[in-house]
Structures are given as structure tokens and as C-alpha cells.
Amino acid sequence: MSRQVLVTGASKGLGRAIAIELARQGFTLVLNARAESSSLKETLEEVIEASHEGVSPRTLLFDIGDRNLCSEMITADIATFGPYFGAVLNAGIADDAPFASMSERQWDAVLGTNLNGFYNVLHQVVPAVLQSRQKGRIVTMSSISGILGNQGQVNYSASKAGIIGASKALSRELARKGITVNCVAPGLIKTEMTEDLPLEKIMQAIPMRRLGKAEEVAGVVAFLFSEAAGYVTGQVISVNGGMV
């Protein structure tokens, strides 16, 4: 049976690095993004290049915050290509502001995408993995903000902390079926999201005095998908250069 893995938010950054690394490990990648773009096309090309012979990755377009669209697209994809071996929930958004001036829209948008996306995606994926009797893998992406909290990110920190709690609870429900659920919590990783940050000041808070690489996060996710990680579940693995 083909081991298919859905990676949400795969068009760039961490999602792209994770997809490429999992392709190298022999998985069939289903690359999610909200819409077609040149960056998604680049990811697909790189994943094709990294994939094993005979493996055909594909794209799947939906917004993880849109419950009906998630259900429609994932259900149709599974009906056509079969159930997934697992999923990486990487897609998410940030919309920062001091809490006192944070709008209802900012709160609802971040929680509605990041935390509701957990339900919207996995509520479609998990039953199919259970039905297929595969000892699958689920990896969710939290953040150091979900562990420590971060000034100006009350909404983002709440959503990422919620993902940790949801992942731990789901791991207990699925453990007897041999399906692992783990959470990876990156710190400051060199991606487009960190390009405009005051890096000199930030480096002082990182014991390793550097930003992480997307490939370093991808390596941890790949381990969690490996046979060697079959007894690892319900864990939060931080990749943050020693910040916590």
C-alpha cells in the first residue's frame, strides 16, 4: 500500500522542507496550499525530484480554515487515491497586535485558521487512517510561542498552545491503534516569516546564537514518521536552539 502523506501549507518555508524530506524517505506527498502559485509549483518540482522512482506526488488546494472545503477536498482525494498514511499540519497564520488593541477579526482569524484547522483536516484524515489499519503518523506544528507565550501574539500563542493540548489528547485516543501523534514546536527558523525581524536583538535570546534551518525542523518530522519512532507519541519536540 502506498504511504501517502498530506502536508498542509506546503508551498514554501517549513512546509516545503518537510515535504522534500518526506519524499526522500519514500512517501507519496500530497501537497496542500490555499491556491495555485509559483511557489507551490516550485515545491512540487522539488518534491518530484526528491521522490523515489514510481512515486507521483500531487497538489490539493484548500484553506484549512474552511471546514466544508476541507471535507470536500480531502474526502474526494481519499476516495480517488486511497487513505493517507499520515499528515503534517503545518499551515497557519499570524496576525500580531498588543492584546488591548487586538481586533475581534484578528483573534477569530488566527484561532479559526490555526486551531480549527486541526479539527477541519484531521477529522477527515483520522477515520480513513483507522479504516486502512495502517500504523500511521500525525505530526502537528506548534511553536515556541505556544510554550512560552510571546508579547504581541496572544492570539497566535493561544492557537499554538491549543494545538499542543489537542495533539496530546488525540495521541491517547489513537495509541492503541498504533497511530502516533506528536507535535513539533520550532523556535526562530530562517524562512520568509523571519526576514523582517530585528535579528541582532533576537539572537541574544537564542543560546546557539543563530536561526534554525528549515531542514533541521524537517529532519525531526521525518524521524517521527520513521519506523524508529513507532513508540514515540504524545510528545512535544522543541527545535529552538536551546531557548526553552
Side-chain angles (χ1 to χ4, degrees), residues 3-197:
R3 296 190 304 167
Q4 303 184 108
V5 177
L6 171 68
V7 178
T8 66
S11 63
K12 56 187 177 181
L14 289 180
R16 176 182 291 182
I18 290 166
I20 291 169
E21 186 57 38
L22 289 177
R24 290 193 183 113
Q25 304 306 316
F27 294 99
T28 299
L29 271 297
V30 184
L31 307 170
N32 159 258
R34 282 184 293 178
E36 291 282 5
S37 66
S38 59
S39 59
L40 179 61
K41 184 179 178 183
E42 287 171 13
T43 298
L44 180 59
E45 289 170 353
E46 292 190 44
V47 168
I48 289 171
E49 187 176 344
S51 294
H52 292 195
E53 187 176 350
V55 174
S56 300
R58 61 187 183 276
T59 59
L60 192 63
L61 305 179
F62 60 85
D63 183 339
I64 66 165
D66 186 329
R67 185 162 297 160
N68 291 334
L69 190 57
C70 281
S71 176
E72 177 187 335
M73 298 302 292
I74 295 173
T75 299
D77 194 64
I78 289 172
T80 302
F81 297 100
Y84 304 146
F85 175 77
V88 180
L89 271 67
N90 171 71
I93 64 169
D95 194 348
D96 301 346
F99 185 69
S101 59
M102 183 176 289
S103 68
E104 291 180 4
R105 182 200 60 77
Q106 287 174 300
W107 178 268
D108 290 342
V110 172
L111 271 291
T113 297
N114 297 357
L115 191 51
N116 286 352
F118 179 100
Y119 177 88
N120 296 346
V121 174
L122 291 185
H123 201 247
Q124 307 306 318
V125 171
V126 168
V129 177
L130 286 168
Q131 189 175 8
S132 72
R133 300 183 184 278
Q134 297 185 81
K135 293 183 177 180
R137 303 281 192 265
I138 293 168
V139 174
T140 62
M141 302 300 291
S142 181
S143 165
I144 192 170
S145 294
I147 297 172
L148 292 179
N150 194 29
Q151 183 176 346
Q153 288 194 316
V154 174
N155 52 357
Y156 186 76
S157 296
S159 70
K160 292 299 186 176
I163 286 171
I164 289 174
S167 300
K168 284 179 172 289
L170 184 59
S171 75
R172 291 181 173 270
E173 292 188 15
L174 299 181
R176 282 186 291 180
K177 301 295 184 181
I179 301 168
T180 67
V181 183
N182 292 288
C183 190
V184 175
L188 287 154
I189 308 298
K190 187 173 176 142
T191 65
E192 292 177 6
M193 290 181 71
T194 57
E195 285 178 356
D196 298 326
L197 296 178

